[in-house]
Amino acid sequence: MADISLVNLRFDGRRLVRREPAAPTLVVVGLPPQHVREEVPGKQDSTADPPGSLEAFTSGVSQLVFSVPPEVESLDLSLTSLLDWERLVPMTVPLLQPGVPASGLPGSVLEFPTRLFLTYDEPVTWTCRPEPHDADGRTGLWHALLNGERGGEALLRALRRAEGRPPVPAHVPLTEANLEDLVTLTSRTELIDADKAPIPLPSAPLRAEQFVATPLGASAHLHGAWDDVSPDAKEQFRTLMRRSPELVAYDHITGLGRDQFVRVVTRGCLSLGHPALLVSEFKRLFVAHKDDGVVAYLQREDRILPREPEVHYGEGTGFPNQGREMPFRVLRITDRVTPPLKPVWPPRPLDRPDAQPQATEPFWVELEGGGDHQFTVLATDHEGRKVSFTTPLVFVPDSRTEDWKALNDLHTSDETKERKRLERPLHGQVMAMAQPPADAPGSTAHAVGELVFTLVRKEAGGGHPLAGMLVVSSAEVRVPALEPFAPGAGDVSVEFDPVYRARGMAAHPARAYLDLKKAVGLDFAAEKAGGLARPNAEVKVITSQAGVVPDMFRTGPTGAVEAADMRDVAKAFDGAKLLGLVDLSALLAPVTTEHLGRLKQLGDAEIQNLLDDAEGAIPAPVLRVRDLADGTGRELRYVWKTKLQKPQPASPDEVFLLDVTRAVLTLDARTAIAKDGGQKTSVEGRLRNVALVIGGVVRVDIADLRFRAVPGNKPDVSASGLEMRFLGELRFIDTLRSALPADAFGSGAYVDVQPWGIRTGYALALPTIGIGVFSLANVSLKAELTIPFDPGKAISFRFSVSERQRPFNVTVSLFGGGGYFSLLVDAAGGIEVEGAIEFGGGAALNLGVASGGVSIMAGVRFEVRDKSVKVGGYLRCNGFLSVLGIVTVSVEFYLELTYEKHAGGSVVRGRGTLTVSVKIAFFSKSVSLELERSFPGAPGDPSFVDCFDEETHWKDYCLSFDGAP
């Protein structure tokens, strides 16, 4: 069971003596295979069937070389004498020094474990028991015990791996990469990089607490531990296109060549950057099966141990944007060790004897029973708050930390599955999403429902250990300022503002740090906004001090952030209305970058100063939330003060509803949100220097229009500095304005607030004026502006002189008349005009025996309504004569002519009546003659079809366009 060869020894008939006294004298012992490399099956338990046949690979023979010391002059030619190794000197394989040739002498080489060659690292001794001995009913032929120089642990070093043998295709405890690492870390061979510089390595020998060589294999206990390879050394390995060693610890226990326990510890990193150890343990498991008895096989169990629980982030750690995309400064993993994991085997070696050893690929840390292991992470944000969450992570072996492709593929291979792994719930914990300004602590804090991570490539030279880094790509957060406008929405999706991410918060005019992934519309109900202004808008940008504002920013050609083009900004105000009808987006005045810069420092005092300043402006609607002083809840404030401008008309004839050349709109809405969820909204608004041009017939200038809506009360509306002027062909009515006070909507105005809207105006009834033969009565003047709360209805203005029911009366001596006039126009273009005037005279005659009288009246009435026109005139003549009261004759003549025009056509109607009455004493008789005629007019211009004879001309008409583009 052992081959013994002798060098420089001869048998002189009695003993073995040296052939040449000065030549080396050696005893070379060839040992049978000392180790069996076994396949590791999948996970088994006592109820499962045996794994069946497994592959096994034995080591080659080992060679022990002993030098016969000079004091031993001869040896007995016996097995006992040749196995007495204690008096011989074990020979090791010497270290090769650069430039020094090898000695040529053989050395001791042990193949243990299979395919790894070991030799002594320092002097050792072998104790061999050559004679057979019995123990536990078995007979041992021989065994040899390896001891250190002083009887302690023997130190061994690995020379090389076995070469020229077929690769091992099975799953075995020690991979080719592990064997390569043992050689690199223990051989003491000096490695030189591409620049001929030595590579410093944490070299340390293997320690053999026990190594007993036997004919059936070695019973051994080896262990080793090594420090980390320095970053510089790793870089030197990369210049040689070699992987750096990742082995940290190695323990190996065998009995008669069979593995009983193997522990392999390799270093790596978790995907958050925490250094960690992968501990793979292989234990021989004895399982009793009813049909097969006791079956023994190796079982693998993996765990991961975080080496450094805390990782610090920030500038210089490798983030593409100096760490702004990672809202945490420190991440601490609280797991000391994971439960047993699902084994991950490295790729099988290439089918070449000289193939590079295959290392373990990066892998998701999955549990033995299935599913990801959820690491518990305690995170510290920019302001020192601590939040916790759980997350699956990837383990990256130390030799693959710079492999960006492998790491990226692992995070993107299955988009649905990987996205779920990267979506981490925080369940409403409050954290700072960005470093707040020094003068605004807490301004970037949000209750976070979920963080979504993504993998980005590390910047060159960064301190992060991996080629890729996990950063926050988006989040679901609570934005209290948005909740009253999006009830029930809860968390909203946000992402880091690109300017903040690339250049920092200070580079943004408004100190923005988050953008809403989907803009949220602010929809003010009419009753909340007072009915006068509903500046609905879409807000998207979240700032540190201004709150939530619309996206009014763009990046200029130089890379600086500036005010966006107002045509783009107007899109955020689509649907916003002024005075319930006018599109506010068309009235927005240009905003400069300097104006937007005011949003950087926008505390309550700054807001009030801008509201009080006649020239001040808050360039964007601002949503802010603060705690109420009495602790009863929170207050949401929406505040905006902006200058308006007159839009460019689409055509020279277009008359715009509003003249806002000097107009300023202010809206300050506050919503108190109680702890029980109740809300109370109060709104104060102001519109200065605005004019309404309605229907092209009237202009109403309003110097100051204020409105205030308080919970439980009707809106309080006041207007001052109102002046009304008629335009166009109705300018003549301005002569009537002299009867109106200078300020019609001042203290004498009336305001009627109803659930449907506001009606405000002024009415004046003039007393009867009599001067000589002149008399003027029933004259009233009225101007009224109606502002409906319903956005489907338009603002309307009505001016009237008396009413149809109470016309004014004018008499001058024998002549008299009266009439009325009413004009109603609205902002939607509707117009209603109605009026009438009558005139005539009368005379009476009394001669005693006869009396009589005659009167003549004529009038004109007109009405314009809904594109229909109606004009009518009449003449009424009557007279009577009475003789002594016995005979009375009366005659009445009435003639009426009416013109009506509707959408479908027009018609002229004429009607005449002659009535003659005669009364003689007690007898009376009346005769009437009536005549009525109507003449319809053309319904309108002929239609297109009416202009062609389909059979004769239509084809010719079509051919005239032949070849036209």
Side-chain angles (χ1 to χ4, degrees):
M1 300 299 292
D3 295 329
I4 300 177
S5 301
L6 304 175
V7 178
N8 197 31
L9 287 174
R10 63 181 180 83
F11 183 62
D12 63 358
R14 292 182 304 110
R15 297 175 64 81
L16 294 171
V17 298
R18 289 180 172 83
R19 293 182 181 275
E20 299 180 10
T25 303
L26 308 174
V27 175
V28 180
V29 180
L31 300 180
Q34 295 295 298
H35 182 252
V36 178
R37 203 174 183 185
E38 296 181 40
E39 180 183 5
V40 180
K43 187 69 176 179
Q44 301 287 321
D45 55 43
S46 57
T47 61
D49 294 332
S53 59
L54 300 172
E55 294 186 82
F57 307 87
T58 62
S59 65
V61 297
S62 296
Q63 172 182 281
L64 303 181
V65 179
F66 299 94
S67 174
V68 180
E71 60 270 19
V72 179
E73 296 180 353
S74 62
L75 299 173
D76 291 337
L77 185 58
S78 66
L79 184 60
T80 301
S81 176
L82 294 177
L83 294 179
D84 184 10
W85 298 339
E86 290 187 74
R87 57 177 180 165
L88 303 179
V89 179
M91 298 286 290
T92 185
V93 176
L95 291 173
L96 295 179
Q97 301 296 330
V100 179
S103 63
L105 295 176
S108 300
V109 177
L110 296 167
E111 186 176 345
F112 185 93
T114 301
R115 301 200 175 183
L116 182 67
F117 297 132
L118 304 178
T119 191
Y120 320 128
D121 192 54
E122 66 175 18
V124 297
T125 61
W126 283 92
T127 302
C128 185
R129 186 173 184 176
E131 68 278 359
H133 63 283
D134 296 329
D136 298 330
R138 295 173 180 168
T139 301
L141 300 179
W142 60 268
H143 69 268
L145 175 64
L146 177 66
N147 295 299
E149 187 176 17
R150 298 178 181 83
E153 296 178 343
L155 302 183
L156 305 173
R157 56 188 174 89
L159 295 173
R160 65 183 186 279
R161 295 182 300 113
E163 297 176 354
R165 299 185 191 177
V168 175
H171 294 154
V172 292
L174 288 169
T175 66
E176 296 298 310
N178 297 149
L179 299 181
E180 181 71 12
D181 286 352
L182 287 172
V183 173
T184 303
L185 295 171
T186 67
S187 66
R188 293 181 180 265
T189 301
E190 186 177 30
L191 297 179
I192 306 297
D193 66 10
D195 296 328
K196 307 302 181 183
I199 301 177
L201 290 173
S203 180
L206 288 171
R207 297 180 177 273
E209 294 183 7
Q210 179 188 45
F211 196 97
V212 180
T214 73
L216 297 179
S219 295
H221 183 184
L222 303 183
H223 65 88
W226 298 272
D227 295 333
D228 291 347
V229 179
S230 67
D232 291 340
K234 292 180 182 180
E235 185 61 33
Q236 289 176 293
F237 272 105
R238 279 192 287 272
T239 63
L240 296 176
M241 304 298 291
R242 287 183 55 177
R243 52 178 292 276
S244 61
E246 59 192 23
L247 194 62
V248 175
Y250 164 61
D251 287 275
H252 203 154
I253 299 175
T254 61
L256 298 180
R258 306 292 296 274
D259 291 333
Q260 305 300 316
F261 176 81
V262 180
R263 177 190 288 124
V264 178
V265 182
T266 55
R267 69 176 61 85
C269 277
L270 296 172
S271 47
L272 285 174
H274 296 77
L277 299 176
L278 172 60
V279 181
S280 300
E281 293 184 348
F282 303 84
K283 302 177 183 178
R284 187 165 295 278
L285 184 67
F286 293 84
V287 179
H289 290 274
K290 60 182 180 179
D291 298 327
D292 300 280
V294 177
V295 178
Y297 49 85
L298 293 175
Q299 191 69 66
R300 177 177 176 174
E301 187 174 274
D302 287 356
R303 285 183 170 85
I304 288 179
L305 286 74
R307 298 177 67 187
E308 297 179 18
E310 285 191 356
V311 170
H312 294 258
Y313 300 101
E315 297 183 13
T317 55
F319 287 96
N321 298 292
Q322 299 182 358
R324 286 183 287 269
E325 60 271 79
M326 173 58 81
F328 302 115
R329 296 278 69 84
V330 179
L331 289 180
R332 180 182 181 88
I333 292 181
T334 62
D335 302 66
R336 293 182 178 274
V337 63
T338 67
L341 305 177
K342 174 184 176 181
V344 177
W345 295 97
R348 300 183 181 228
L350 300 176
D351 193 14
R352 300 201 324 267
D354 59 345
Q356 178 72 15
Q358 299 297 297
T360 302
E361 297 279 351
F363 61 88
W364 285 99
V365 180
E366 298 182 85
L367 295 173
E368 186 178 66
D372 296 317
H373 172 64
Q374 302 290 332
F375 288 87
T376 300
V377 180
L378 186 64
T380 305
D381 70 4
H382 295 276
E383 294 188 291
R385 296 184 191 86
K386 296 188 182 299
V387 297
S388 63
F389 59 93
T390 61
T391 180
L393 295 174
V394 170
F395 178 81
V396 184
D398 197 59
S399 61
R400 306 302 297 274
T401 55
E402 296 298 325
D403 191 342
W404 159 252
K405 183 178 184 304
L407 189 60
N408 186 55
D409 290 347
L410 199 62
H411 284 81
T412 57
S413 58
D414 187 340
E415 184 175 351
T416 301
K417 184 176 182 180
E418 309 315 331
R419 180 170 177 81
K420 295 184 69 174
R421 282 170 162 162
L422 297 175
E423 294 174 347
R424 295 294 92 211
L426 263 70
H427 306 292
Q429 298 179 82
V430 177
M431 57 169 284
M433 292 297 295
Q435 175 69 49
D439 56 347
S443 60
T444 62
H446 296 269
V448 180
E450 180 181 81
L451 292 177
V452 180
F453 290 87
T454 191
L455 188 74
V456 298
R457 194 159 192 167
K458 180 184 70 173
E459 288 288 297
H464 196 274
L466 298 178
M469 311 179 70
L470 285 175
V471 300
V472 174
S473 61
S474 62
E476 300 287 330
V477 304
R478 295 285 295 275
V479 183
L482 297 177
E483 292 177 2
F485 300 97
D491 297 339
V492 294
S493 296
V494 297
E495 58 190 359
F496 287 111
D497 182 85
V499 176
Y500 163 77
R501 187 174 59 242
R503 301 170 54 195
M505 194 180 297
H508 197 282
R511 284 184 175 174
Y513 61 97
L514 289 178
D515 287 348
L516 298 172
K517 295 181 73 174
K518 182 178 181 181
V520 173
L522 307 182
D523 188 7
F524 272 93
E527 63 272 13
K528 289 186 177 181
L532 293 177
R534 295 193 305 113
N536 304 334
E538 285 189 345
V539 291
K540 186 177 181 181
V541 180
I542 302 177
T543 68
S544 61
Q545 288 184 271
V548 188
V549 299
D551 187 8
M552 305 182 70
F553 315 92
R554 71 174 181 183
T555 302
T558 62
V561 183
E562 58 188 32
D565 188 288
M566 290 309 296
R567 290 173 295 182
D568 297 329
V569 175
K571 298 175 183 177
F573 293 86
D574 186 30
K577 300 295 181 183
L578 185 61
L579 298 176
L581 180 70
V582 181
D583 185 0
L584 185 59
S585 62
L587 305 177
L588 296 178
V591 178
T592 65
T593 305
E594 290 73 17
H595 290 155
L596 293 176
R598 296 175 185 172
L599 301 176
K600 284 187 177 181
Q601 302 286 344
L602 206 61
D604 291 339
E606 288 80 8
I607 289 177
Q608 192 59 47
N609 291 337
L610 291 173
L611 293 179
D612 296 338
D613 184 1
E615 298 298 325
I618 301 174
V622 171
L623 286 178
R624 298 166 58 87
V625 174
R626 67 180 181 89
D627 294 324
L628 296 175
D630 55 5
T632 58
R634 312 189 81 186
E635 181 187 72
L636 164 68
R637 187 179 189 187
Y638 174 99
V639 61
W640 188 25
K641 183 180 180 183
T642 182
K643 295 182 179 180
L644 306 179
Q645 70 171 4
K646 187 175 181 179
Q648 293 295 328
S651 65
D653 298 331
E654 181 182 6
V655 179
F656 196 68
L657 174 67
L658 291 180
D659 183 356
V660 292
T661 306
R662 299 181 299 112
V664 177
L665 172 66
T666 302
L667 187 69
D668 190 358
R670 300 172 187 257
T671 300
I673 306 173
K675 291 184 177 180
D676 60 2
Q679 296 184 11
K680 293 183 178 180
T681 299
S682 61
V683 179
E684 292 186 10
R686 187 178 185 185
L687 185 59
R688 294 189 294 118
N689 301 325
V690 66
L692 288 83
V693 181
I694 304 177
V697 296
V698 67
R699 176 186 174 94
V700 181
D701 291 283
I702 306 175
D704 197 352
L705 183 63
R706 298 172 182 251
F707 54 93
R708 187 169 185 266
V710 180
N713 298 322
K714 290 184 178 180
D716 180 15
V717 181
S718 64
S720 61
L722 184 142
E723 182 181 1
M724 181 181 60
R725 290 181 293 135
F726 287 93
L727 307 175
E729 297 180 356
L730 296 180
R731 288 181 183 273
F732 71 93
I733 304 177
D734 278 343
T735 57
L736 300 175
R737 292 178 58 246
S738 59
L740 289 173
D743 189 356
F745 285 77
S747 58
Y750 64 86
V751 177
D752 182 19
V753 180
Q754 299 291 339
W756 53 265
I758 300 172
R759 186 167 57 90
T760 180
Y762 190 87
L764 174 65
L766 300 181
T768 301
I769 301 174
I771 304 175
V773 296
F774 174 81
S775 176
L776 178 63
N778 295 334
V779 177
S780 65
L781 302 175
K782 186 175 182 180
E784 183 175 86
L785 184 68
T786 303
I787 303 173
F789 290 157
D790 186 352
K793 296 182 178 179
I795 300 171
S796 63
F797 173 77
R798 184 173 185 268
F799 173 77
S800 65
V801 180
S802 297
E803 299 289 344
R804 179 195 297 181
Q805 298 81 3
R806 288 178 57 84
F808 65 84
N809 295 319
V810 180
T811 61
V812 180
S813 184
L814 301 177
F815 302 97
Y820 66 93
F821 174 81
S822 176
L823 169 68
L824 175 65
V825 291
D826 61 38
I831 182 170
E832 295 182 9
V833 182
E834 182 181 10
I837 189 168
E838 292 182 331
F839 53 89
L845 176 66
N846 191 344
L847 300 176
V849 294
S851 63
V854 62
S855 66
I856 300 175
M857 294 293 295
V860 177
R861 183 179 182 275
F862 57 91
E863 179 180 321
V864 179
R865 178 176 294 141
D866 296 331
K867 297 183 179 181
S868 296
V869 179
K870 184 176 182 181
V871 180
Y874 71 91
L875 174 65
R876 178 186 293 116
C877 301
N878 60 53
F880 74 93
L881 177 64
S882 176
V883 179
L884 297 176
I886 299 174
V887 178
T888 301
V889 178
S890 64
V891 178
E892 181 181 23
F893 175 72
Y894 178 81
L895 178 63
E896 180 184 73
L897 184 64
T898 303
Y899 170 77
E900 297 180 11
K901 182 176 181 180
H902 307 280
S906 60
V907 63
V908 177
R909 290 188 177 92
R911 179 171 173 265
T913 303
L914 176 63
T915 303
V916 179
S917 298
V918 178
K919 181 180 179 184
I920 302 174
F922 301 102
F923 171 79
S924 65
K925 181 67 174 178
S926 178
V927 178
S928 295
L929 299 177
E930 293 185 0
L931 178 64
E932 181 175 351
R933 292 288 186 269
S934 62
F935 305 93
D941 294 333
S943 65
F944 180 82
V945 176
D946 295 333
C947 298
F948 290 91
D949 184 333
E950 296 184 11
E951 294 183 359
T952 59
H953 300 298
W954 174 249
K955 188 175 297 185
D956 294 338
Y957 174 78
C958 294
L959 290 175
S960 67
F961 292 94
D962 186 27

